[in-house]
Amino acid sequence: MIDPKLLIQFKAEILEIERGNIIFDYGSKAQFYYQIKTGEVKMNNFNRDGKEFIQGIFYPDQSFGEPPLFADVGYPAGAETITDVEIFRLPKDDFFDLLKKHPEAHFKISEVLASRLYYKAIMASEISSQDPEHRIVRLLDYTKTHIHKLDPEDVLEVDFTRQQIADLTGLRVETVIRACKALEKKGEIQIKKRKILR
Amino acid sequence: MIDPKLLIQFKAEILEIERGNIIFDYGSKAQFYYQIKTGEVKMNNFNRDGKEFIQGIFYPDQSFGEPPLFADVGYPAGAETITDVEIFRLPKDDFFDLLKKHPEAHFKISEVLASRLYYKAIMASEISSQDPEHRIVRLLDYTKTHIHKLDPEDVLEVDFTRQQIADLTGLRVETVIRACKALEKKGEIQIKKRKILR
DNA sequence: CACTGTTTATGATTTGAATCAAGTCGGAAT
DNA sequence: ATTCCGACTTGATTCAAATCATAAACAGTG
């Protein structure tokens, strides 16, 4: 997260986009740095038979879609708003200008990339080789500690739908539902009024 | 990749390690920046029943295990040498010192993190939702263009074993072997003397 | 060359998540 | 209150990859 004042100082504009719109497409070239002011955004892929895979869900103050600004590649996934949003958008050149003049912002960005990589590494290993229940628990635990910054003794009220959990873990809704039931029985999670608590 | 001269100037030492040794363990705290001089290193996880998942294989001039230096997390995977290696090792503080005094090196590191994230994003989406053949092709194509920097018309001689392909894609050896046979039949790859060409 | 260990190969069987089909539930809108 | 729609649920069935078992091909070594 880069200080909004700094963003504005470097000529960032604020976009207002309604729920369900595309911000950029899979494969396209990165031209802007994006940071969320309000609302939520997801980055996703669709495979040939239309199944969605969610790379990540992003919340206020988080940036997204930075990697292709640094590496010479197209976006590995598209970005779509999941609520109405306000987003800071800073052209690539101005962004690099900012990083050069404010090294501490660059270190902050490195931290963001690093922790994203950490999440991806965990999920890759889980998705590839663990059973559904374990995948889900890992996703929830990651969300709890790294997104919501809660302590282990706190209780997280998961705000993902079953479908989103499925798309984040590469499972199917029915499997997620059945796995969650099993996890509840084992006492790993609680389900109150269909809401998952962990 | 950071210029070795610069590394040495900032007091990096060179480690010589034999094949099959551990460089750091899963979950441990990052204290050094590592960059390969000669040899190969892999980062991997093991799940409860001993199945290995390879997060990545790293070659000369590549660095590895940087994310936990930036984000406050333990290593998401362990690192192990797969050949005899010589490795530059720079203490964390000196590494940050270097980045501060040489912003261009910092941009280079950002590029590395970014392209690694790109690879992870691709593989995550593949692993979660595509068939074995597709996963393998994607892995080979990524390796071809991004690791070996070959053009599409060039032919890559894959130097992974079937087992390594399995561990990188989250499949099992037998499945990889059968999928490769099928891919050969379809003309997607060639197999000459058990070596895969793509 | 014979011996050893690793990698590749192939067939038979099992298994668990995906798929298919048909619901229910709950909240928002009319 | 009734309709409507998205989210959640449950059971039966299928199917592809994992598993198990076994062996051939090859690379390296004394």
mmCIF file of all heavy atoms in Angstrom, chain D residues 4-19:
data_model
loop_
_atom_site.group_PDB
_atom_site.id
_atom_site.type_symbol
_atom_site.label_atom_id
_atom_site.label_comp_id
_atom_site.label_asym_id
_atom_site.label_seq_id
_atom_site.Cartn_x
_atom_site.Cartn_y
_atom_site.Cartn_z
ATOM 1 P P DC D 4 -42.268 -14.811 -9.955
ATOM 2 O OP1 DC D 4 -42.553 -14.001 -11.154
ATOM 3 O OP2 DC D 4 -42.496 -16.269 -9.934
ATOM 4 O "O5'" DC D 4 -40.773 -14.523 -9.509
ATOM 5 C "C5'" DC D 4 -40.385 -13.201 -9.154
ATOM 6 C "C4'" DC D 4 -38.941 -13.215 -8.744
ATOM 7 O "O4'" DC D 4 -38.839 -13.515 -7.337
ATOM 8 C "C3'" DC D 4 -38.094 -14.250 -9.484
ATOM 9 O "O3'" DC D 4 -36.935 -13.603 -9.981
ATOM 10 C "C2'" DC D 4 -37.755 -15.287 -8.413
ATOM 11 C "C1'" DC D 4 -37.795 -14.440 -7.138
ATOM 12 N N1 DC D 4 -38.085 -15.167 -5.875
ATOM 13 C C2 DC D 4 -37.463 -14.740 -4.688
ATOM 14 O O2 DC D 4 -36.695 -13.778 -4.729
ATOM 15 N N3 DC D 4 -37.735 -15.391 -3.537
ATOM 16 C C4 DC D 4 -38.579 -16.429 -3.534
ATOM 17 N N4 DC D 4 -38.805 -17.029 -2.362
ATOM 18 C C5 DC D 4 -39.219 -16.887 -4.721
ATOM 19 C C6 DC D 4 -38.945 -16.229 -5.868
ATOM 20 P P DC D 5 -36.021 -14.248 -11.057
ATOM 21 O OP1 DC D 5 -35.909 -13.337 -12.213
ATOM 22 O OP2 DC D 5 -36.436 -15.655 -11.224
ATOM 23 O "O5'" DC D 5 -34.640 -14.220 -10.280
ATOM 24 C "C5'" DC D 5 -34.285 -13.099 -9.462
ATOM 25 C "C4'" DC D 5 -33.140 -13.513 -8.567
ATOM 26 O "O4'" DC D 5 -33.652 -14.157 -7.389
ATOM 27 C "C3'" DC D 5 -32.204 -14.526 -9.235
ATOM 28 O "O3'" DC D 5 -30.865 -14.167 -8.930
ATOM 29 C "C2'" DC D 5 -32.592 -15.841 -8.608
ATOM 30 C "C1'" DC D 5 -32.996 -15.394 -7.200
ATOM 31 N N1 DC D 5 -33.931 -16.316 -6.501
ATOM 32 C C2 DC D 5 -33.925 -16.323 -5.101
ATOM 33 O O2 DC D 5 -33.161 -15.571 -4.499
ATOM 34 N N3 DC D 5 -34.768 -17.165 -4.448
ATOM 35 C C4 DC D 5 -35.577 -17.966 -5.143
ATOM 36 N N4 DC D 5 -36.389 -18.773 -4.448
ATOM 37 C C5 DC D 5 -35.595 -17.971 -6.564
ATOM 38 C C6 DC D 5 -34.765 -17.134 -7.202
ATOM 39 P P DG D 6 -29.689 -14.743 -9.803
ATOM 40 O OP1 DG D 6 -29.351 -13.772 -10.850
ATOM 41 O OP2 DG D 6 -30.044 -16.139 -10.140
ATOM 42 O "O5'" DG D 6 -28.500 -14.769 -8.750
ATOM 43 C "C5'" DG D 6 -28.380 -13.753 -7.755
ATOM 44 C "C4'" DG D 6 -28.026 -14.410 -6.439
ATOM 45 O "O4'" DG D 6 -29.143 -15.200 -5.973
ATOM 46 C "C3'" DG D 6 -26.839 -15.372 -6.535
ATOM 47 O "O3'" DG D 6 -25.926 -15.057 -5.505
ATOM 48 C "C2'" DG D 6 -27.455 -16.756 -6.386
ATOM 49 C "C1'" DG D 6 -28.687 -16.472 -5.552
ATOM 50 N N9 DG D 6 -29.792 -17.412 -5.735
ATOM 51 C C8 DG D 6 -30.352 -17.830 -6.916
ATOM 52 N N7 DG D 6 -31.343 -18.672 -6.739
ATOM 53 C C5 DG D 6 -31.435 -18.808 -5.364
ATOM 54 C C6 DG D 6 -32.319 -19.594 -4.583
ATOM 55 O O6 DG D 6 -33.240 -20.331 -4.948
ATOM 56 N N1 DG D 6 -32.062 -19.437 -3.220
ATOM 57 C C2 DG D 6 -31.084 -18.637 -2.690
ATOM 58 N N2 DG D 6 -30.985 -18.616 -1.353
ATOM 59 N N3 DG D 6 -30.258 -17.904 -3.402
ATOM 60 C C4 DG D 6 -30.487 -18.041 -4.730
ATOM 61 P P DA D 7 -24.569 -15.835 -5.337
ATOM 62 O OP1 DA D 7 -23.535 -14.864 -4.926
ATOM 63 O OP2 DA D 7 -24.385 -16.701 -6.529
ATOM 64 O "O5'" DA D 7 -24.871 -16.776 -4.102
ATOM 65 C "C5'" DA D 7 -25.238 -16.191 -2.848
ATOM 66 C "C4'" DA D 7 -25.547 -17.305 -1.884
ATOM 67 O "O4'" DA D 7 -26.730 -18.007 -2.342
ATOM 68 C "C3'" DA D 7 -24.440 -18.351 -1.776
ATOM 69 O "O3'" DA D 7 -24.125 -18.513 -0.401
ATOM 70 C "C2'" DA D 7 -25.050 -19.618 -2.393
ATOM 71 C "C1'" DA D 7 -26.541 -19.393 -2.196
ATOM 72 N N9 DA D 7 -27.382 -20.036 -3.188
ATOM 73 C C8 DA D 7 -27.293 -19.950 -4.552
ATOM 74 N N7 DA D 7 -28.207 -20.641 -5.196
ATOM 75 C C5 DA D 7 -28.953 -21.225 -4.183
ATOM 76 C C6 DA D 7 -30.069 -22.081 -4.188
ATOM 77 N N6 DA D 7 -30.665 -22.504 -5.313
ATOM 78 N N1 DA D 7 -30.563 -22.476 -2.999
ATOM 79 C C2 DA D 7 -29.971 -22.036 -1.868
ATOM 80 N N3 DA D 7 -28.921 -21.231 -1.729
ATOM 81 C C4 DA D 7 -28.457 -20.855 -2.939
ATOM 82 P P DC D 8 -23.047 -19.590 0.059
ATOM 83 O OP1 DC D 8 -22.504 -19.085 1.337
ATOM 84 O OP2 DC D 8 -22.160 -19.918 -1.070
ATOM 85 O "O5'" DC D 8 -23.942 -20.868 0.370
ATOM 86 C "C5'" DC D 8 -24.940 -20.781 1.389
ATOM 87 C "C4'" DC D 8 -25.745 -22.065 1.389
ATOM 88 O "O4'" DC D 8 -26.359 -22.262 0.097
ATOM 89 C "C3'" DC D 8 -24.953 -23.341 1.674
ATOM 90 O "O3'" DC D 8 -25.478 -23.927 2.852
ATOM 91 C "C2'" DC D 8 -25.181 -24.204 0.431
ATOM 92 C "C1'" DC D 8 -26.491 -23.644 -0.105
ATOM 93 N N1 DC D 8 -26.767 -23.856 -1.549
ATOM 94 C C2 DC D 8 -27.848 -24.657 -1.911
ATOM 95 O O2 DC D 8 -28.531 -25.184 -1.026
ATOM 96 N N3 DC D 8 -28.118 -24.842 -3.229
ATOM 97 C C4 DC D 8 -27.359 -24.253 -4.154
ATOM 98 N N4 DC D 8 -27.664 -24.455 -5.445
ATOM 99 C C5 DC D 8 -26.255 -23.416 -3.808
ATOM 100 C C6 DC D 8 -25.992 -23.246 -2.504
ATOM 101 P P DT D 9 -24.784 -25.200 3.528
ATOM 102 O OP1 DT D 9 -25.123 -25.192 4.952
ATOM 103 O OP2 DT D 9 -23.389 -25.269 3.077
ATOM 104 O "O5'" DT D 9 -25.590 -26.394 2.840
ATOM 105 C "C5'" DT D 9 -26.978 -26.350 2.806
ATOM 106 C "C4'" DT D 9 -27.569 -27.648 2.291
ATOM 107 O "O4'" DT D 9 -27.724 -27.550 0.870
ATOM 108 C "C3'" DT D 9 -26.763 -28.918 2.542
ATOM 109 O "O3'" DT D 9 -27.570 -29.778 3.328
ATOM 110 C "C2'" DT D 9 -26.499 -29.499 1.148
ATOM 111 C "C1'" DT D 9 -27.568 -28.816 0.307
ATOM 112 N N1 DT D 9 -27.245 -28.576 -1.126
ATOM 113 C C2 DT D 9 -28.021 -29.188 -2.078
ATOM 114 O O2 DT D 9 -28.951 -29.933 -1.815
ATOM 115 N N3 DT D 9 -27.683 -28.891 -3.372
ATOM 116 C C4 DT D 9 -26.659 -28.063 -3.808
ATOM 117 O O4 DT D 9 -26.463 -27.879 -5.003
ATOM 118 C C5 DT D 9 -25.868 -27.461 -2.759
ATOM 119 C C7 DT D 9 -24.729 -26.552 -3.109
ATOM 120 C C6 DT D 9 -26.196 -27.740 -1.481
ATOM 121 P P DT D 10 -27.014 -31.088 4.039
ATOM 122 O OP1 DT D 10 -27.779 -31.310 5.268
ATOM 123 O OP2 DT D 10 -25.547 -31.025 4.063
ATOM 124 O "O5'" DT D 10 -27.431 -32.195 2.986
ATOM 125 C "C5'" DT D 10 -28.754 -32.178 2.468
ATOM 126 C "C4'" DT D 10 -28.911 -33.304 1.479
ATOM 127 O "O4'" DT D 10 -28.650 -32.818 0.145
ATOM 128 C "C3'" DT D 10 -27.983 -34.502 1.687
ATOM 129 O "O3'" DT D 10 -28.787 -35.651 1.848
ATOM 130 C "C2'" DT D 10 -27.114 -34.552 0.440
ATOM 131 C "C1'" DT D 10 -27.955 -33.792 -0.576
ATOM 132 N N1 DT D 10 -27.196 -33.044 -1.617
ATOM 133 C C2 DT D 10 -27.647 -33.081 -2.917
ATOM 134 O O2 DT D 10 -28.622 -33.703 -3.262
ATOM 135 N N3 DT D 10 -26.892 -32.355 -3.807
ATOM 136 C C4 DT D 10 -25.755 -31.617 -3.520
ATOM 137 O O4 DT D 10 -25.164 -30.999 -4.409
ATOM 138 C C5 DT D 10 -25.338 -31.621 -2.151
ATOM 139 C C7 DT D 10 -24.127 -30.852 -1.734
ATOM 140 C C6 DT D 10 -26.064 -32.324 -1.265
ATOM 141 P P DG D 11 -28.203 -37.073 2.131
ATOM 142 O OP1 DG D 11 -29.143 -37.755 3.037
ATOM 143 O OP2 DG D 11 -26.776 -36.955 2.479
ATOM 144 O "O5'" DG D 11 -28.309 -37.748 0.696
ATOM 145 C "C5'" DG D 11 -29.574 -37.811 0.044
ATOM 146 C "C4'" DG D 11 -29.410 -38.475 -1.306
ATOM 147 O "O4'" DG D 11 -28.801 -37.528 -2.225
ATOM 148 C "C3'" DG D 11 -28.506 -39.717 -1.307
ATOM 149 O "O3'" DG D 11 -29.181 -40.750 -2.014
ATOM 150 C "C2'" DG D 11 -27.238 -39.251 -1.995
ATOM 151 C "C1'" DG D 11 -27.767 -38.171 -2.940
ATOM 152 N N9 DG D 11 -26.805 -37.140 -3.318
ATOM 153 C C8 DG D 11 -25.944 -36.453 -2.499
ATOM 154 N N7 DG D 11 -25.210 -35.571 -3.144
ATOM 155 C C5 DG D 11 -25.621 -35.690 -4.464
ATOM 156 C C6 DG D 11 -25.187 -35.001 -5.619
ATOM 157 O O6 DG D 11 -24.338 -34.109 -5.722
ATOM 158 N N1 DG D 11 -25.866 -35.430 -6.761
ATOM 159 C C2 DG D 11 -26.834 -36.404 -6.774
ATOM 160 N N2 DG D 11 -27.365 -36.688 -7.958
ATOM 161 N N3 DG D 11 -27.248 -37.056 -5.699
ATOM 162 C C4 DG D 11 -26.604 -36.649 -4.584
ATOM 163 P P DA D 12 -28.531 -42.090 -2.474
ATOM 164 O OP1 DA D 12 -29.595 -43.117 -2.414
ATOM 165 O OP2 DA D 12 -27.252 -42.283 -1.736
ATOM 166 O "O5'" DA D 12 -28.193 -41.792 -3.991
ATOM 167 C "C5'" DA D 12 -29.237 -41.490 -4.924
ATOM 168 C "C4'" DA D 12 -28.722 -41.700 -6.338
ATOM 169 O "O4'" DA D 12 -27.780 -40.645 -6.651
ATOM 170 C "C3'" DA D 12 -27.966 -43.014 -6.553
ATOM 171 O "O3'" DA D 12 -28.271 -43.479 -7.872
ATOM 172 C "C2'" DA D 12 -26.517 -42.628 -6.354
ATOM 173 C "C1'" DA D 12 -26.492 -41.194 -6.909
ATOM 174 N N9 DA D 12 -25.525 -40.298 -6.274
ATOM 175 C C8 DA D 12 -25.174 -40.238 -4.957
ATOM 176 N N7 DA D 12 -24.281 -39.313 -4.679
ATOM 177 C C5 DA D 12 -24.032 -38.720 -5.913
ATOM 178 C C6 DA D 12 -23.202 -37.672 -6.307
ATOM 179 N N6 DA D 12 -22.415 -36.987 -5.467
ATOM 180 N N1 DA D 12 -23.185 -37.328 -7.606
ATOM 181 C C2 DA D 12 -23.977 -37.995 -8.452
ATOM 182 N N3 DA D 12 -24.823 -39.004 -8.201
ATOM 183 C C4 DA D 12 -24.800 -39.318 -6.901
ATOM 184 P P DT D 13 -27.450 -44.647 -8.551
ATOM 185 O OP1 DT D 13 -28.351 -45.284 -9.539
ATOM 186 O OP2 DT D 13 -26.771 -45.442 -7.495
ATOM 187 O "O5'" DT D 13 -26.338 -43.857 -9.360
ATOM 188 C "C5'" DT D 13 -26.730 -42.951 -10.403
ATOM 189 C "C4'" DT D 13 -25.478 -42.526 -11.150
ATOM 190 O "O4'" DT D 13 -24.671 -41.684 -10.296
ATOM 191 C "C3'" DT D 13 -24.575 -43.688 -11.599
ATOM 192 O "O3'" DT D 13 -24.391 -43.570 -12.999
ATOM 193 C "C2'" DT D 13 -23.311 -43.509 -10.783
ATOM 194 C "C1'" DT D 13 -23.318 -42.003 -10.495
ATOM 195 N N1 DT D 13 -22.586 -41.562 -9.281
ATOM 196 C C2 DT D 13 -21.708 -40.512 -9.408
ATOM 197 O O2 DT D 13 -21.506 -39.942 -10.463
ATOM 198 N N3 DT D 13 -21.083 -40.139 -8.242
ATOM 199 C C4 DT D 13 -21.245 -40.710 -6.991
ATOM 200 O O4 DT D 13 -20.630 -40.284 -6.033
ATOM 201 C C5 DT D 13 -22.169 -41.819 -6.939
ATOM 202 C C7 DT D 13 -22.403 -42.511 -5.634
ATOM 203 C C6 DT D 13 -22.791 -42.182 -8.069
ATOM 204 P P DT D 14 -23.397 -44.489 -13.814
ATOM 205 O OP1 DT D 14 -23.993 -44.740 -15.136
ATOM 206 O OP2 DT D 14 -22.982 -45.603 -12.933
ATOM 207 O "O5'" DT D 14 -22.167 -43.507 -14.019
ATOM 208 C "C5'" DT D 14 -22.420 -42.161 -14.417
ATOM 209 C "C4'" DT D 14 -21.085 -41.452 -14.618
ATOM 210 O "O4'" DT D 14 -20.507 -41.122 -13.328
ATOM 211 C "C3'" DT D 14 -20.037 -42.279 -15.371
ATOM 212 O "O3'" DT D 14 -19.388 -41.401 -16.272
ATOM 213 C "C2'" DT D 14 -19.120 -42.775 -14.247
ATOM 214 C "C1'" DT D 14 -19.184 -41.606 -13.270
ATOM 215 N N1 DT D 14 -18.923 -41.906 -11.841
ATOM 216 C C2 DT D 14 -18.132 -41.055 -11.122
ATOM 217 O O2 DT D 14 -17.606 -40.068 -11.595
ATOM 218 N N3 DT D 14 -17.974 -41.387 -9.795
ATOM 219 C C4 DT D 14 -18.524 -42.474 -9.138
ATOM 220 O O4 DT D 14 -18.326 -42.661 -7.946
ATOM 221 C C5 DT D 14 -19.346 -43.337 -9.962
ATOM 222 C C7 DT D 14 -19.985 -44.550 -9.340
ATOM 223 C C6 DT D 14 -19.509 -43.017 -11.258
ATOM 224 P P DC D 15 -18.525 -41.933 -17.479
ATOM 225 O OP1 DC D 15 -19.128 -41.449 -18.727
ATOM 226 O OP2 DC D 15 -18.271 -43.384 -17.242
ATOM 227 O "O5'" DC D 15 -17.147 -41.184 -17.277
ATOM 228 C "C5'" DC D 15 -17.070 -40.041 -16.423
ATOM 229 C "C4'" DC D 15 -15.653 -39.925 -15.901
ATOM 230 O "O4'" DC D 15 -15.591 -40.435 -14.554
ATOM 231 C "C3'" DC D 15 -14.624 -40.746 -16.706
ATOM 232 O "O3'" DC D 15 -13.443 -39.977 -16.757
ATOM 233 C "C2'" DC D 15 -14.449 -41.992 -15.847
ATOM 234 C "C1'" DC D 15 -14.570 -41.389 -14.446
ATOM 235 N N1 DC D 15 -14.955 -42.333 -13.363
ATOM 236 C C2 DC D 15 -14.661 -41.973 -12.037
ATOM 237 O O2 DC D 15 -14.091 -40.899 -11.818
ATOM 238 N N3 DC D 15 -15.011 -42.812 -11.036
ATOM 239 C C4 DC D 15 -15.628 -43.971 -11.320
ATOM 240 N N4 DC D 15 -15.949 -44.754 -10.297
ATOM 241 C C5 DC D 15 -15.932 -44.347 -12.659
ATOM 242 C C6 DC D 15 -15.579 -43.506 -13.640
ATOM 243 P P DA D 16 -12.490 -40.018 -18.052
ATOM 244 O OP1 DA D 16 -13.194 -39.541 -19.251
ATOM 245 O OP2 DA D 16 -11.876 -41.361 -18.029
ATOM 246 O "O5'" DA D 16 -11.366 -38.951 -17.686
ATOM 247 C "C5'" DA D 16 -11.581 -38.035 -16.623
ATOM 248 C "C4'" DA D 16 -10.527 -38.224 -15.557
ATOM 249 O "O4'" DA D 16 -10.919 -39.296 -14.653
ATOM 250 C "C3'" DA D 16 -9.154 -38.622 -16.068
ATOM 251 O "O3'" DA D 16 -8.199 -37.964 -15.268
ATOM 252 C "C2'" DA D 16 -9.106 -40.119 -15.830
ATOM 253 C "C1'" DA D 16 -9.859 -40.201 -14.503
ATOM 254 N N9 DA D 16 -10.448 -41.505 -14.192
ATOM 255 C C8 DA D 16 -10.871 -42.473 -15.054
ATOM 256 N N7 DA D 16 -11.373 -43.529 -14.454
ATOM 257 C C5 DA D 16 -11.267 -43.227 -13.112
ATOM 258 C C6 DA D 16 -11.627 -43.930 -11.952
ATOM 259 N N6 DA D 16 -12.200 -45.133 -11.961
ATOM 260 N N1 DA D 16 -11.380 -43.345 -10.764
ATOM 261 C C2 DA D 16 -10.812 -42.132 -10.743
ATOM 262 N N3 DA D 16 -10.438 -41.371 -11.768
ATOM 263 C C4 DA D 16 -10.699 -41.984 -12.931
ATOM 264 P P DA D 17 -6.808 -37.498 -15.858
ATOM 265 O OP1 DA D 17 -6.911 -36.106 -16.326
ATOM 266 O OP2 DA D 17 -6.371 -38.571 -16.759
ATOM 267 O "O5'" DA D 17 -5.881 -37.522 -14.577
ATOM 268 C "C5'" DA D 17 -6.338 -36.921 -13.375
ATOM 269 C "C4'" DA D 17 -5.966 -37.783 -12.193
ATOM 270 O "O4'" DA D 17 -6.715 -39.023 -12.233
ATOM 271 C "C3'" DA D 17 -4.492 -38.172 -12.111
ATOM 272 O "O3'" DA D 17 -4.025 -37.801 -10.836
ATOM 273 C "C2'" DA D 17 -4.490 -39.697 -12.338
ATOM 274 C "C1'" DA D 17 -5.872 -40.087 -11.834
ATOM 275 N N9 DA D 17 -6.433 -41.312 -12.383
ATOM 276 C C8 DA D 17 -6.470 -41.708 -13.694
ATOM 277 N N7 DA D 17 -7.060 -42.878 -13.883
ATOM 278 C C5 DA D 17 -7.431 -43.266 -12.609
ATOM 279 C C6 DA D 17 -8.103 -44.414 -12.123
ATOM 280 N N6 DA D 17 -8.531 -45.403 -12.904
ATOM 281 N N1 DA D 17 -8.311 -44.479 -10.793
ATOM 282 C C2 DA D 17 -7.891 -43.489 -10.006
ATOM 283 N N3 DA D 17 -7.251 -42.367 -10.342
ATOM 284 C C4 DA D 17 -7.055 -42.315 -11.672
ATOM 285 P P DA D 18 -2.579 -38.127 -10.260
ATOM 286 O OP1 DA D 18 -2.121 -36.925 -9.536
ATOM 287 O OP2 DA D 18 -1.768 -38.716 -11.335
ATOM 288 O "O5'" DA D 18 -2.901 -39.242 -9.179
ATOM 289 C "C5'" DA D 18 -3.836 -38.931 -8.147
ATOM 290 C "C4'" DA D 18 -3.995 -40.115 -7.211
ATOM 291 O "O4'" DA D 18 -4.623 -41.216 -7.919
ATOM 292 C "C3'" DA D 18 -2.691 -40.662 -6.650
ATOM 293 O "O3'" DA D 18 -2.901 -41.005 -5.289
ATOM 294 C "C2'" DA D 18 -2.404 -41.886 -7.535
ATOM 295 C "C1'" DA D 18 -3.807 -42.361 -7.888
ATOM 296 N N9 DA D 18 -3.932 -42.989 -9.201
ATOM 297 C C8 DA D 18 -3.512 -42.487 -10.400
ATOM 298 N N7 DA D 18 -3.786 -43.270 -11.424
ATOM 299 C C5 DA D 18 -4.427 -44.354 -10.859
ATOM 300 C C6 DA D 18 -4.968 -45.532 -11.415
ATOM 301 N N6 DA D 18 -4.949 -45.817 -12.724
ATOM 302 N N1 DA D 18 -5.537 -46.415 -10.560
ATOM 303 C C2 DA D 18 -5.564 -46.123 -9.244
ATOM 304 N N3 DA D 18 -5.098 -45.052 -8.610
ATOM 305 C C4 DA D 18 -4.527 -44.201 -9.482
ATOM 306 P P DT D 19 -1.717 -41.493 -4.369
ATOM 307 O OP1 DT D 19 -2.061 -41.122 -2.987
ATOM 308 O OP2 DT D 19 -0.428 -41.084 -4.974
ATOM 309 O "O5'" DT D 19 -1.826 -43.066 -4.509
ATOM 310 C "C5'" DT D 19 -3.053 -43.700 -4.180
ATOM 311 C "C4'" DT D 19 -2.983 -45.166 -4.514
ATOM 312 O "O4'" DT D 19 -3.050 -45.362 -5.945
ATOM 313 C "C3'" DT D 19 -1.701 -45.879 -4.051
ATOM 314 O "O3'" DT D 19 -2.094 -46.910 -3.170
ATOM 315 C "C2'" DT D 19 -1.084 -46.417 -5.338
ATOM 316 C "C1'" DT D 19 -2.301 -46.509 -6.257
ATOM 317 N N1 DT D 19 -2.069 -46.452 -7.724
ATOM 318 C C2 DT D 19 -2.573 -47.469 -8.492
ATOM 319 O O2 DT D 19 -3.183 -48.421 -8.033
ATOM 320 N N3 DT D 19 -2.338 -47.340 -9.840
ATOM 321 C C4 DT D 19 -1.673 -46.321 -10.480
ATOM 322 O O4 DT D 19 -1.536 -46.318 -11.693
ATOM 323 C C5 DT D 19 -1.164 -45.285 -9.609
ATOM 324 C C7 DT D 19 -0.417 -44.132 -10.200
ATOM 325 C C6 DT D 19 -1.381 -45.403 -8.289
#
